[in-house]
Amino acid sequence: MGKHGTPDDTGSDGAVSESTAGESSAETSSPTAPAATGPDADLSALDGAGAENAKVTAVVDVTDVDPRLADPEVVAEAVAPQRDINTQVGGALLEVRGLTVQFGGLKALDDVTFDIKRGEIFGLIGPNGAGKTTCFNAITGVYSPSAGSVTFDNKPLGRVKRHEITRRGIARTFQNVRLFGEMTALENVVVGTDARHKTSVFGAALRSRRHYREERDAVDRGMALLEFVGIGARAAEQAKNLAYGDQRRLEIARALATEPKLLCLDEPAAGFNPSEKTALMGLIQKIRDDGYTVLLIEHDMRLVMGVTERIVVLEFGRKIAEGTPSEVRENPAVINAYLGVPDDEIA
């Protein structure tokens, strides 16, 4: 790749997050609504502050990117989380207690309890219909729990709205890719940075010094994140034209743009071939090593066992096991859930 952000060839791997949108472009804006990729993509996928402004298409000039971002060390420094976190490393960043989600007479999640420690990669697994995504949605504010509680960084989430949950530091990706298809890869990531912007509508309209500085920083951080996830060469390409794997990586980059304390990945390896899954494992470990905490939902057991430090297993909405990958792998209840071993053999 010659000049930063100028694509040399076409795609490889990426996707979207529950980030925010707004006036985070580096130049001007056009009043046309961006097309989101994926069968059910819409603006509700971006639940941060100012999401109502996500209809505005950003215009970001990749030639404005700081040339120092060609240096991997500068990229790592730019991507590293800058937020204050109350929880000490190794302490419980997320505490789930007795979480229950009920739809009519059906309990999709039944009295689930676990902790996620700051600085770890935590896995949430289970067969289809086990309640994994329901748990994800209850944590991130998509569903309101019927009972139980969720505490994040020593503060209860309660009935906190989704955009406020994003501001508090929880970002997520989705099973189905949700991107602004008409926007470039860089513009999609710049949208995510709006979660941390402090410029008022009045300040943005007047192009205040703070607004200009936030836009400038958003472009540089967006480019750094694209480099970090491995698609910096695709910065100027429209999201809809990226290869599926690159769209998944783009979704992760946009989630990271919100500067989360906890990054939640919902089946990020869906549709990947073995080599792409291996590369994804490396990326997830790289994200953790850079200072982030990761919650991973995934069906691929090789990926989960190879990248996580602790795992919780759900079946029919209830927790049936918790422990290290080796402990979970040997747990009779987990073997029964996945392989259908007769109950009398695990009694």
Side-chain angles (χ1 to χ4, degrees):
M1 181 177 69
K3 194 166 193 175
H4 245 290
T6 304
D8 297 324
D9 50 2
T10 54
S12 141
D13 293 54
V16 178
S17 84
E18 179 163 317
S19 60
T20 61
E23 298 159 320
S24 43
S25 63
E27 297 295 330
T28 57
S29 297
S30 163
T32 56
T37 65
D40 57 352
D42 56 26
L43 295 180
S44 66
L46 304 173
D47 294 305
E52 69 278 4
N53 296 325
K55 296 177 183 178
V56 179
T57 301
V59 179
V60 176
D61 187 351
V62 295
T63 63
D64 287 340
V65 173
D66 187 339
R68 292 178 300 169
L69 292 174
D71 184 344
E73 291 186 4
V74 176
V75 168
E77 183 178 348
V79 170
Q82 306 295 325
R83 306 189 62 181
D84 292 331
I85 302 179
N86 296 322
T87 307
Q88 297 296 315
V89 175
L93 179 64
L94 183 80
E95 301 173 70
V96 176
R97 295 289 180 269
L99 194 62
T100 300
V101 177
Q102 189 164 340
F103 301 104
L106 173 67
K107 281 189 176 180
L109 210 60
D110 189 4
D111 194 28
V112 172
T113 295
F114 61 85
D115 294 336
I116 298 178
K117 298 176 181 178
R118 179 183 170 187
E120 74 174 342
I121 302 173
F122 184 88
L124 187 63
I125 68 173
N128 286 330
K132 304 182 298 297
T133 298
T134 299
C135 185
F136 227 51
N137 288 337
I139 291 170
T140 56
V142 177
Y143 297 151
S144 296
S146 305
S149 65
V150 178
T151 302
F152 179 66
D153 200 18
N154 299 322
K155 295 181 181 179
L157 292 183
R159 295 186 177 275
V160 177
K161 294 181 179 179
R162 279 182 280 177
H163 72 269
E164 183 58 30
I165 289 176
T166 300
R167 283 194 179 278
R168 290 194 185 188
I170 298 179
R172 68 169 292 180
T173 63
F174 292 83
Q175 288 185 27
N176 297 319
V177 174
R178 300 181 182 185
L179 293 171
F180 292 113
E182 299 299 325
M183 284 175 149
T184 66
L186 179 57
E187 289 167 350
N188 268 274
V189 180
V190 167
V191 164
T193 66
D194 192 68
R196 305 264 65 85
H197 288 179
K198 300 185 182 342
T199 305
S200 66
V201 174
F202 185 70
L206 294 180
R207 303 285 295 173
S208 67
R209 187 172 299 175
R210 170 188 276 181
H211 177 61
Y212 178 80
R213 183 177 64 251
E214 287 181 338
E215 284 191 331
R216 170 73 271 169
D217 292 345
V219 173
D220 286 342
R221 180 168 172 77
M223 191 66 219
L225 285 164
L226 290 177
E227 293 284 2
F228 183 76
V229 301
I231 56 172
R234 312 286 179 258
E237 294 185 28
Q238 287 184 317
K240 67 180 181 181
N241 294 331
L242 296 177
Y244 178 76
D246 281 345
Q247 290 183 355
R248 283 285 183 191
R249 288 178 181 266
L250 177 54
E251 182 173 44
I252 293 172
R254 191 166 74 173
L256 291 173
T258 68
E259 298 184 39
K261 301 175 184 178
L262 175 65
L263 176 64
C264 304
L265 304 176
D266 193 354
E267 298 191 24
F272 276 18
N273 61 41
S275 64
E276 289 173 329
K277 289 178 181 178
T278 299
L280 178 64
M281 288 174 63
L283 176 59
I284 293 173
Q285 290 171 327
K286 183 179 175 183
I287 290 170
R288 189 275 312 277
D289 292 344
D290 210 48
Y292 294 93
T293 303
V294 180
L295 168 58
L296 173 67
I297 287 181
E298 186 51 64
H299 280 299
D300 189 292
M301 289 299 99
R302 188 180 77 85
L303 189 151
V304 173
M305 295 296 174
V307 79
T308 58
E309 285 131 345
R310 288 193 306 123
I311 298 172
V312 158
V313 187
L314 300 180
E315 184 185 28
F316 299 119
R318 299 186 66 89
K319 185 176 82 171
I320 61 171
E322 179 175 1
T324 64
S326 58
E327 291 170 344
V328 167
R329 187 186 292 112
E330 303 299 326
N331 189 299
V334 177
I335 296 173
N336 179 50
Y338 278 94
L339 302 180
V341 178
D343 290 339
D344 57 0
E345 292 186 17
I346 62 169

